[in-house]
Amino acid sequence: QVQVVESGGGLVQPGGSLRLSCTASGRIFNINDMGWYRQAPGKQRELVAVITRGGSTSYANFAKGRFTISRDNVKNTVYLQMNSLKPEDTAVYLCVVASGGNYWGQGTQVTVSS
């Protein structure tokens, strides 16, 4: 059984920062890509950023220059550093881990509001 658990969400003012973490545990081996998606109320889930096992990254246009994805392969953990947050970044942020199949976490709420 595989567990994927996100943490680090919360309430932040516009212009603020948050760092999300996601750790995969259990019977999971040779993780390939790790990524972050987000889903706002009434909107479709959208890709935020993805990172390969070798460290190559790609970002959605809205994330470029503000968000940074990184990972620790020893800890099976992926991070998302989010800076200059805007109210439109408010969403549930979900982690996905690719290892044979795709494993999703439950998500962590990010709310950007004054």
Side-chain angles (χ1 to χ4, degrees), residues 9 15-16 33 61 68 75 101:
D33 294 354
N61 284 337
T68 302
K75 296 180 179 179

Side-chain angles (χ1 to χ4, degrees), residues 6 20 36-38 48 80 82 89 91-94 107-108 110:
E6 303 97 335
L20 307 183
W36 289 94
Y37 282 72
R38 71 183 188 183
V48 178
L80 185 68
M82 304 187 293
D89 294 317
V92 175
Y93 283 70
L94 302 110
T108 185
V110 171

Side-chain angles (χ1 to χ4, degrees), residues 2-99:
V2 176
Q3 296 84 39
V4 178
V5 179
E6 303 97 335
S7 63
L11 173 64
V12 64
Q13 292 186 342
S17 298
L18 282 175
R19 188 191 194 212
L20 307 183
S21 300
C22 167
T23 298
S25 61
R27 294 184 61 81
I28 188 165
F29 308 99
N30 298 321
I31 296 174
N32 295 313
D33 294 354
M34 304 180 83
W36 289 94
Y37 282 72
R38 71 183 188 183
Q39 187 161 20
K43 295 187 177 181
Q44 288 189 330
R45 187 174 295 185
E46 60 181 353
L47 175 68
V48 178
V50 64
I51 184 167
T52 68
R53 183 172 181 82
S56 296
T57 59
S58 60
Y59 296 89
N61 284 337
F62 65 79
K64 292 178 181 178
R66 299 190 300 130
F67 296 179
T68 302
I69 190 171
S70 60
R71 66 189 281 174
D72 183 328
N73 291 333
V74 174
K75 296 180 179 179
N76 287 345
T77 298
V78 61
Y79 306 96
L80 185 68
Q81 176 68 43
M82 304 187 293
N83 299 326
S84 302
L85 283 161
K86 305 174 182 180
E88 51 264 43
D89 294 317
T90 296
V92 175
Y93 283 70
L94 302 110
C95 172
V96 60
V97 175
S99 177

